[in-house]
Amino acid sequence: TKMKASLVLTSILGAFTLVEASSQDPMTADMKHQSHRILSGSEDSYDDDFWAYDNGSYNTAWSDFNLSARKCVTMNKKHYIVFELFGRNNKGCSRKKKGTYTMDVGKFAKAYVAQKKIDYKYMGKDYGDADSLGYVDCTLVEYNGNNYYAKLGCSSQGGLKILAYSDAYCTTEVNANIGLYNDIKLSFNYCNDCVTWPVNNDDDAANAEGDDAAQDDAAGDDNFEYYHQFDSKLCSAADYYKSSCGWGCKRMANKGTSSSSYSSSRKYWNGLEKFFLLFWSVAAVGLIWVVLKQRRMMSREDAIVEEATMNGVGLRKRHIFPIALGIIFFIIFSMFMVWKRLTWLLLIGSNIGLFAHFAFLRRKAKQRSGLTGYVKDGGLQIS
C-alpha cells in the first residue's frame, strides 16, 4: 500500500512539473537558453563595470541603426567624441537622424574597439589589441627620466591622441613628447553599421571554431539572426552614455571637419532649415499675390513706361511668365538636390526682388493716388 501511494505521489509531482514547464514564458526560457551568447554588455576582458548596464536587452534592434563619429572636441578641458545616431532606412546616414550627442572619449574608444573586435571576428580576421585603451584613465608614465601623466584625448585636428599632463588628475596639459602614440584608428564622418553580420551567416557555424560559446550557438541556436540584431557594443554603449550636443558643441564639430565620401553624401535638410524653407516659400507666395494685386492698379502711363524699359534691355512681357516658371523650377529642384547655397540664393533673392517690386509699385500708386487713368490689369497684359 505504501509503495502504491509513493508511486501515485511521484506521478502527481511529475505531472505538476510538466505543467509548470509548459506554462513557462517562452521568451524567459529562450533568454535562459541564450545566456551564453555574446551580448552587448558581457564578456569584456578589460572593464566589466563599463558594460554592467546591459544584461542582454531585447528592447532595441540595433540592426536598424547606424552611427557616425563626427569629431573629437575639447570642452571645458574635457574631451568628447561628437557622434550622430541614425534610425531605420537612413540611406547611409543621409536622413532619419535621431540626434547629435557627445560621449567621453575614453568610453567611446572602449565601445569602438569592442565593436571592432566582433566585426573582425565575423569577417574571419583578428582586430588585435589597442594599447591606447591603457590610457583611458590618467596614468603615470616615465619618459627620458621625467614623470608625466598620460590620457587619451583629442588632438588639435579633431582626432585621437595620447596627451601629456603634469598632474595626477590630468587637468593641466603640457606640450611634451612622451613616446606614446594612439593606435585606435577611429574613422570620422563614416557611416558605421551598429550590427555586423558574419561573412558566412550559417547560425554561427563559420565562427564557432575555438569559441565554446559560439560552439554552443552553432549547436543549439537556430535563431541567430533574430538574437544578433540586438547586439551592438558600440551603439548600445553610445546610447547609454550619451549626452546632448548643444549649438556650441555642434558648431565645434562642424568647424574644420574634413570632407570624405560619407560627408559628401550626407546632404539633408535639418529641422531648422526645413522651417525656413517653408517660411520663405510661403512669404514668396504671399508677395506674388500682393504684387499681382498692386499691378492691377497700375496707370496706363506707368505700364507704357515699364514696357519701354523692358524693351530697352531686350525683354518682352511674354518672357516674364516663362522666366518666373524657370525660377520656381530651379528653386524646387535645388531643394530636392539639397543644393543649399543655390536654394537660399534663389529663394531669399526672389523674396527680396518681389518685395522691392511691390514697394516700387506702392510708391508709384501713392504718387498718383489723386489722379485718374488707372486701367484694370494695366500691368499684366501679356502679348
Side-chain angles (χ1 to χ4, degrees), residues 64-77:
D64 296 332
F65 288 76
N66 291 79
L67 182 147
S68 171
R70 294 295 312 282
K71 194 176 183 181
C72 191
V73 300
T74 304
M75 297 183 293
N76 299 323
K77 294 186 176 182

Side-chain angles (χ1 to χ4, degrees), residues 145-367:
N146 298 317
N147 290 332
Y148 298 95
Y149 290 88
K151 188 176 181 181
L152 185 65
C154 302
S155 68
S156 57
Q157 292 78 28
L160 297 183
K161 181 181 179 180
I162 298 179
L163 304 172
Y165 296 87
S166 60
D167 62 301
Y169 299 98
C170 289
T171 57
T172 305
E173 185 179 348
V174 294
N175 185 17
N177 178 17
I178 56 177
L180 297 174
Y181 302 94
N182 168 56
D183 58 354
I184 301 174
K185 305 304 179 184
L186 177 57
S187 299
F188 290 97
N189 295 313
Y190 177 78
C191 190
N192 295 278
D193 293 329
C194 287
V195 175
T196 299
W197 298 92
V199 176
N200 182 12
N201 188 7
D202 187 15
D203 287 353
D204 298 324
N207 303 286
E209 184 176 356
D211 190 326
D212 292 339
Q215 287 175 358
D216 291 341
D217 278 339
D221 181 9
D222 293 328
N223 296 310
F224 171 78
E225 292 187 1
Y226 172 77
Y227 292 111
H228 187 57
Q229 65 180 322
F230 302 100
D231 297 343
S232 177
K233 284 185 176 288
L234 175 60
C235 295
S236 65
D239 184 61
Y240 182 79
Y241 290 108
K242 71 179 186 293
S243 299
S244 61
C245 180
W247 179 84
C249 165
K250 293 177 182 177
R251 186 170 179 267
M252 292 179 64
N254 292 328
K255 184 178 180 180
T257 301
S258 60
S259 61
S260 65
S261 59
Y262 160 62
S263 60
S264 63
S265 64
R266 58 184 305 277
K267 296 179 180 179
Y268 58 92
W269 297 104
N270 60 38
L272 183 62
E273 290 170 333
K274 290 178 181 178
F275 169 78
F276 280 109
L277 285 175
L278 178 63
F279 172 81
W280 287 115
S281 298
V282 173
V285 173
L287 284 170
I288 290 173
W289 181 78
V290 297
V291 165
L292 292 178
K293 184 177 181 181
Q294 190 67 40
R295 287 183 63 84
R296 293 171 67 91
M297 301 178 63
M298 286 181 65
S299 67
R300 188 182 301 277
E301 179 183 359
D302 288 340
I304 294 174
V305 172
E306 181 186 76
E307 187 169 0
T309 303
M310 293 173 60
N311 291 338
V313 295
L315 286 177
R316 299 290 186 271
K317 283 191 175 182
R318 64 175 179 270
H319 298 153
I320 301 300
F321 187 67
I323 291 175
L325 285 181
I327 294 174
I328 294 173
F329 170 78
F330 276 112
I331 291 176
I332 296 175
F333 184 72
S334 60
M335 286 182 184
F336 177 77
M337 297 300 295
V338 199
W339 295 339
K340 295 187 178 183
R341 292 185 179 180
L342 180 60
T343 301
W344 296 126
L345 176 64
L346 292 175
L347 191 56
I348 298 177
S350 298
N351 276 273
I352 294 174
L354 287 168
F355 181 79
H357 187 53
F358 169 74
F360 174 78
L361 294 174
R362 188 70 174 170
R363 184 173 64 86
K364 283 287 186 180
K366 286 184 177 181
Q367 290 176 352

Side-chain angles (χ1 to χ4, degrees), residues 15-250:
F16 178 76
T17 303
L18 290 174
V19 171
E20 184 180 19
S22 64
S23 62
Q24 185 179 6
D25 184 3
M27 180 59 72
T28 302
D30 218 4
M31 289 179 68
K32 289 181 179 179
H33 172 71
Q34 291 296 324
S35 61
H36 61 269
R37 67 190 180 90
I38 305 176
L39 296 170
S40 301
S42 66
E43 301 183 16
D44 194 89
S45 59
Y46 47 82
D47 194 344
D48 292 336
D49 293 337
F50 179 75
W51 305 106
Y53 67 89
D54 192 345
N55 295 317
S57 172
Y58 292 86
N59 295 329
T60 304
W62 290 112
S63 59
D64 296 332
F65 288 76
N66 291 79
L67 182 147
S68 171
R70 294 295 312 282
K71 194 176 183 181
C72 191
V73 300
T74 304
M75 297 183 293
N76 299 323
K77 294 186 176 182
K78 294 184 179 181
H79 299 257
Y80 301 93
I81 296 293
V82 178
F83 68 93
E84 296 172 337
L85 200 60
F86 297 85
R88 174 181 289 183
N89 298 326
N90 58 71
K91 292 189 176 181
C93 298
S94 61
R95 61 178 191 173
K96 303 289 185 179
K97 185 171 73 171
K98 297 295 183 180
T100 304
Y101 310 100
T102 63
M103 184 176 174
D104 175 77
V105 64
K107 293 179 178 179
F108 192 93
K110 287 181 183 180
Y112 183 81
V113 170
Q115 184 66 51
K116 283 298 180 182
K117 286 179 178 288
I118 294 177
D119 295 348
Y120 272 58
K121 174 185 174 182
Y122 284 143
M123 292 186 293
K125 301 177 182 179
D126 182 15
Y127 183 75
D129 296 324
D131 295 335
S132 297
L133 290 181
Y135 303 96
V136 167
D137 299 316
C138 200
T139 304
L140 177 65
V141 297
E142 182 180 352
Y143 186 72
N144 289 338
N146 298 317
N147 290 332
Y148 298 95
Y149 290 88
K151 188 176 181 181
L152 185 65
C154 302
S155 68
S156 57
Q157 292 78 28
L160 297 183
K161 181 181 179 180
I162 298 179
L163 304 172
Y165 296 87
S166 60
D167 62 301
Y169 299 98
C170 289
T171 57
T172 305
E173 185 179 348
V174 294
N175 185 17
N177 178 17
I178 56 177
L180 297 174
Y181 302 94
N182 168 56
D183 58 354
I184 301 174
K185 305 304 179 184
L186 177 57
S187 299
F188 290 97
N189 295 313
Y190 177 78
C191 190
N192 295 278
D193 293 329
C194 287
V195 175
T196 299
W197 298 92
V199 176
N200 182 12
N201 188 7
D202 187 15
D203 287 353
D204 298 324
N207 303 286
E209 184 176 356
D211 190 326
D212 292 339
Q215 287 175 358
D216 291 341
D217 278 339
D221 181 9
D222 293 328
N223 296 310
F224 171 78
E225 292 187 1
Y226 172 77
Y227 292 111
H228 187 57
Q229 65 180 322
F230 302 100
D231 297 343
S232 177
K233 284 185 176 288
L234 175 60
C235 295
S236 65
D239 184 61
Y240 182 79
Y241 290 108
K242 71 179 186 293
S243 299
S244 61
C245 180
W247 179 84
C249 165
K250 293 177 182 177

